[in-house]
């Protein structure tokens, strides 16, 4: 019911904002970006934020993991984080700190992306409606794209690995 709703707690007293983007599959953690208020373009430099709904606490990853602006979603394992940025999609492991490129994008920023449990990555680039991409992470990377030729899968393995 609407009268039972309440705002999420502040990250801290600095005035930074949390912009949520994706829940873990069990609904316990919420992933998003953290940005300074005002004065910055919405796609300006960001930090990663994770809100734990049970503990009602934030974890903010302040280290700059990739260049430029980015969007974030959980990998299918609900442990690693995928970052879509200007040069492609990266996989970040918060436990080890490792960042790996999993999909190269030679066009504009990879955005509005999702990963399926069976390893498909759907993403778009901000040029026009034809720039919708589907990438399948396998030992022999394949890429199917509707639009121009800006993306290419890299490496071996699956987006969830």
């Amino acid at each position: 019911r609407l009268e039972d709703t309440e705002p999420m707690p502040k990250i801290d007293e600095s005035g930074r904002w949390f912009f949520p983007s994706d829940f873990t599959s069990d609904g316990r953690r919420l992933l998003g970006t953290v940005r300074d208020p005002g004065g910055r373009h919405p796609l300006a430099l960001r930090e990663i934020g994770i809100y734990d709904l049970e503990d009602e606490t934030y974890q903010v990853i302040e280290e700059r993991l990739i260049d430029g602006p980015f969007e974030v979603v959980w990998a299918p394992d609900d442990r690693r984080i995928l970052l879509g940025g200007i040069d492609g999609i990266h996989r970040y492991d918060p436990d080890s700190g490792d960042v790996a490129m999993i999909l190269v994008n030679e066009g504009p920023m990879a955005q509005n992306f999702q990963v399926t449990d069976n390893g498909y990555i759907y993403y778009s680039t901000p040029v026009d409606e034809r720039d919708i991409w589907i990438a399948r992470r396998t030992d022999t990377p394949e890429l199917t794209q509707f639009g121009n030729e800006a993306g290419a899968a890299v490496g071996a393995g699956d987006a969830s690995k």
Side-chain angles (χ1 to χ4, degrees), residues 2-154:
L2 189 55
E3 52 270 357
D4 294 335
T5 63
E6 58 186 69
M8 289 179 63
K10 293 180 180 180
I11 294 172
D12 54 32
E13 295 304 316
S14 70
R16 294 184 297 171
W17 302 340
F18 178 67
F19 290 82
S21 59
D22 196 23
F23 278 100
T24 52
S25 59
D26 63 9
R28 293 182 183 166
R29 293 181 297 156
L30 182 57
L31 177 68
T33 56
V34 176
R35 303 178 219 168
D36 288 333
R40 287 192 177 182
H41 186 277
L43 294 179
L45 300 178
R46 315 169 174 188
E47 299 166 337
I48 295 173
I50 302 170
Y51 180 71
D52 186 305
L53 278 85
E54 291 181 357
D55 297 341
E56 297 183 350
T57 58
Y58 287 95
Q59 174 190 0
V60 178
I61 301 164
E62 296 178 352
E63 179 184 358
R64 191 74 189 144
L65 302 173
I66 64 173
D67 291 331
F70 59 86
E71 294 184 2
V72 292
V73 297
W74 288 109
D77 65 5
D78 285 340
R79 188 176 63 77
R80 285 171 287 196
I81 298 168
L82 302 180
L83 297 91
I86 292 172
D87 60 349
I89 298 176
H90 304 258
R91 183 185 59 231
Y92 169 63
D93 185 331
D95 296 333
S96 69
D98 290 339
V99 179
M101 172 75 77
I102 62 169
L103 186 112
V104 174
N105 182 42
E106 296 173 4
M109 181 176 160
Q111 62 184 15
N112 303 316
F113 67 99
Q114 293 294 317
V115 181
T116 64
D117 289 338
N118 59 351
Y120 284 95
I121 301 172
Y122 297 88
Y123 72 100
S124 65
T125 56
V127 176
D128 64 38
E129 68 278 358
R130 293 175 299 144
D131 288 326
I132 300 171
W133 301 70
I134 302 170
R136 169 81 171 131
R137 297 284 301 157
T138 64
D139 289 328
T140 308
E142 298 174 6
L143 179 70
T144 303
Q145 185 264 344
F146 308 98
N148 63 32
E149 297 179 6
V154 296

